[in-house]
Amino acid sequence: MTHTGNGDHDTDGVLVRASSGDVSAEILAYARDRIRAVVDSPGMPALTGEVRIERAAAHRVEQPWRAVAEVRAGHAVVIVHAREATGRELADRLQDRLREGLGRAVGGGTGRRAVAPMWRGGSTAGRS
């Protein structure tokens, strides 16, 4: 991790920064730790990209915290949006969505069958 001097933090190729609003250093550090957990996951290739976190200035907003992550893994680009009531909830939600999106993009884990159904020319072996 490197610190750029203007509040931005680079977590192994993924920049975590506050884009606007009153985002504390504590929330940025918490979000950076959550993103690092995804980046350092076993089997994850080198990632590059950016995570932008902001907090709405209006106090009447129900979910003032929002984030956008745009992360590249090879040729795959994963874009994740999240909105939450608190900064910690936002970082947790972002971690979950980013892990899920990158898992699908990198691992191909779509949860779909590897064999096409019979009516699409798939194998009938093992079916009665």
Side-chain angles (χ1 to χ4, degrees), residues 2-10 15-18 24-25 28-29 32:
T2 58
H3 179 57
T4 60
N6 59 359
D8 298 347
H9 297 279
D10 187 3
L15 181 69
V16 179
R17 68 183 186 96
S24 69
L28 278 176
R32 186 178 63 248

Side-chain angles (χ1 to χ4, degrees), residues 41-117:
S41 297
M44 195 64 65
L47 302 174
T48 59
E50 180 179 54
V51 177
R52 294 180 305 276
I53 298 173
E54 64 182 48
R55 182 178 182 193
H59 296 287
R60 68 188 184 296
V61 177
E62 202 171 302
Q63 293 180 320
W65 290 89
R66 78 177 158 190
V68 176
E70 183 175 332
V71 179
R72 291 166 195 77
H75 294 294
V77 177
V78 176
I79 299 174
V80 175
H81 297 265
R83 275 196 118 108
E84 288 298 331
T86 68
R88 286 185 173 268
E89 289 174 358
L90 178 78
D92 293 339
R93 172 87 56 189
L94 190 62
Q95 178 187 20
D96 293 342
R97 289 185 178 174
L98 196 56
R99 180 177 286 135
E100 179 182 325
L102 286 167
R104 274 183 278 156
V106 172
T110 61
R112 299 185 181 171
R113 292 192 239 185
V115 178

Side-chain angles (χ1 to χ4, degrees), residues 113 116-124 127:
R113 292 192 239 185
M118 289 186 331
W119 60 88
R120 292 197 178 160
S123 171
T124 58
R127 295 187 186 161

